[in-house]
Amino acid sequence: MATDIKAALRRQRIETPSWAFGNSGTRFKVFAQKGVPRDPYEKLADAAQVHRFTGVAPTVALHIPWDKVDDYAGLARHARDLGVGIGAINSNVFQDDDYMLGSVTNPDPGVRRKALGHLLECVDIMDLTGSATLKLWFSDGTNYPGQDDLRARQDRLAEALAAVYDRLGDGQRFLLEYKLFEPAFYATDVPDWGTAYAHCLKLGPKAQVVVDTGHHAPGTNIEFIVAFLLREERLGGFDFNSRFYADDDLMVGAADPFQLFRIMYEVIRGGGYGEHIAFMLDQCHNIEPKIPGQIRSVMNVQEATAKALLVDADALAGAQAEGDVLGASAAFMDAYNTDVRPLLAELREESGLDPDPMAAYRRSGYAEKIVAERVGGAQAGWGA
Ligand code: PSV
Ligand code: MN
Ligand code: MN
């Protein structure tokens, strides 16, 4: 049993977000930290430290234009030289002044053309980096009833998605990301999994849904959405983070490790524990050091996954079939209540890694090195 679980954990791949290594904050304040990356090359160097100490974070998602460079193929080579690869390309049609009333759903056709142009540019970049995944998140929405035609905005969205879908090359796909609210406060054009699913269904298998764990109403049963989308073969991946109240972008597993366990159980149960699902982090470390914040997050995902792998599927299925409510709950909770840290420490040692990635990173001196080297380069503002 432990051997199989270790083999499964050894296969785990978690993608870190380039933007998590830069300065971030809330609309009230960005507390700049010393030593943060000054460019995408340094973001990749920091991300490579997460992989160096965890062994399961070999790819880094980029965000365009935050990670814009002249030579994307060169950036991909630089990543490989660091021992990591470039993963998903995240589009950004939420920060340009033209997008105040929306991007692809904007009533102005000129703005819609500009937004679509950016999305197609992101696919061009995928061709250069070798990325298979395009992330599409639209902050598009309205703040007041009557502000725009809710139905017409869906028509505009569908038109843009179809154009992007047609541009995708072989082996490429897009993941459509939904979010209940923010920055729009009355209606968001892709607010929930059903909207994302319906648009993807119309387009074809290269259009899939990404579940950002911070993008639901409080109390939403996220693992149900995961089970449903996996059954429909429309789950493309996750943007993992955790939250207490809204889209807080806290370290995944830090607010509700039980929910993360339940999600990973449905992933495993639904055949989603494989390379076809992108397990990405999408977080902001506003008050904690960035690199260790990412290391902790990766460890949290590993722990939830190890617990989910420990569920005795036969005992659970048997109890479920007999309507044995308490037996089924016990089978589920026995796994969750197992301390898997010794198993993970053993796995790391067998893989030639320090059993305690956080302590190993602290001892490495990398944090002090980048503060000394990157004097005065810290960028202000989110995602810069
Ligand atoms: C929006 O809240 C979001 O989750 C999208 O994935 C963006 O790309 C990301 O955050 C930016 O941090
Ligand atoms: Mn996200
Ligand atoms: Mn988010």
Side-chain angles (χ1 to χ4, degrees):
M1 172 83 151
T3 316
D4 297 347
I5 291 177
K6 279 187 189 172
L9 290 169
R10 207 170 281 118
R11 290 199 315 270
Q12 184 148 36
R13 294 291 175 268
I14 298 160
E15 183 161 302
T16 58
S18 68
W19 56 97
F21 298 99
N23 279 322
S24 61
T26 67
R27 60 181 172 172
F28 303 103
K29 170 71 177 165
V30 172
F31 291 101
Q33 296 186 22
K34 289 188 170 36
V36 296
R38 295 164 294 187
D39 58 43
Y41 300 87
E42 293 182 344
K43 291 180 191 176
L44 288 169
D46 291 6
Q49 296 303 307
V50 179
H51 183 48
R52 173 185 169 198
F53 292 105
T54 64
V56 294
T59 55
V60 189
L62 298 185
H63 219 296
I64 307 299
W66 299 341
D67 294 319
K68 197 169 182 64
V69 294
D70 295 335
D71 176 6
Y72 287 101
L75 185 66
R77 283 194 302 276
H78 181 75
R80 285 193 294 276
D81 293 346
L82 292 165
V84 291
I86 290 177
I89 299 296
N90 288 261
S91 59
N92 179 336
V93 284
F94 52 86
Q95 286 187 310
D96 191 302
D97 290 343
D98 286 341
Y99 299 141
M100 185 171 75
L101 299 181
S103 63
V104 294
T105 66
N106 194 298
D108 177 341
V111 173
R112 298 203 295 270
R113 270 195 303 277
K114 174 177 177 174
L116 179 56
H118 168 74
L119 303 183
L120 298 176
E121 179 200 359
C122 286
V123 186
D124 296 341
I125 291 170
M126 289 166 69
D127 291 342
L128 293 168
T129 59
S131 300
T133 300
L134 170 66
K135 282 271 290 309
L136 299 174
W137 173 66
F138 299 102
S139 60
D140 291 42
T142 50
N143 281 2
Y144 296 100
Q147 178 186 329
D148 195 356
D149 183 303
L150 298 180
R151 182 183 173 126
R153 291 176 77 92
Q154 292 299 311
D155 297 339
R156 299 168 200 158
L157 172 65
E159 192 181 327
L161 291 176
V164 177
Y165 191 87
D166 292 345
R167 169 65 183 82
L168 292 173
D170 294 341
Q172 293 178 333
R173 62 179 181 165
F174 72 59
L175 305 188
L176 181 55
E177 183 173 2
Y178 59 89
K179 181 173 180 178
L180 179 65
F181 83 105
E182 186 192 52
F185 294 114
Y186 165 63
T188 296
D189 293 317
V190 188
D192 56 30
W193 71 268
T195 309
Y197 173 65
H199 279 285
C200 290
L201 213 52
K202 281 204 178 81
L203 290 167
K206 294 171 142 183
Q208 295 169 345
V209 180
V210 55
V211 174
D212 183 308
T213 49
H215 286 190
H216 307 80
T220 300
N221 184 330
I222 297 176
E223 63 269 27
F224 173 85
I225 299 169
V226 170
F228 184 93
L229 290 174
L230 272 173
R231 184 172 177 277
E232 297 298 329
E233 298 181 347
R234 287 295 170 146
L235 179 68
F238 292 92
D239 268 4
F240 276 141
N241 48 63
S242 65
R243 47 78 68 85
F244 288 99
Y245 296 98
D247 187 21
D248 309 335
D249 277 348
L250 299 172
M251 293 185 289
V252 60
D256 187 347
F258 184 41
Q259 179 188 60
L260 184 57
F261 160 76
R262 300 192 317 261
I263 288 171
M264 289 314 296
Y265 170 76
E266 292 305 337
V267 166
I268 292 159
R269 158 68 183 101
Y273 188 69
E275 292 184 359
H276 57 301
I277 305 288
F279 295 93
M280 301 176 279
L281 304 181
D282 174 13
Q283 302 174 166
C284 292
H285 302 288
N286 298 343
I287 60 171
E288 67 270 23
K290 317 282 182 179
I291 297 170
Q294 289 286 287
I295 292 174
R296 173 58 64 194
S297 299
V298 169
M299 292 171 70
N300 288 350
V301 176
Q302 287 183 298
E303 288 179 26
T305 305
K307 292 180 177 209
L309 289 164
L310 274 174
V311 172
D312 181 337
D314 295 339
L316 183 62
Q320 288 170 344
E322 287 161 22
D324 176 1
V325 174
L326 295 180
S329 172
F332 207 68
M333 296 311 291
D334 282 352
Y336 177 65
N337 290 325
T338 304
D339 184 355
V340 294
R341 290 173 296 180
L343 174 76
L344 285 163
E346 214 173 85
L347 172 68
R348 293 184 186 110
E349 282 188 312
E350 290 165 1
S351 310
L353 296 169
D354 189 295
D356 180 348
M358 291 292 275
Y361 172 74
R362 243 192 327 272
R363 285 197 308 273
S364 73
Y366 186 83
E368 294 76 13
K369 173 173 162 295
I370 56 178
V371 168
E373 280 174 4
R374 300 172 186 173
V375 176
Q379 298 150 352
W382 179 41

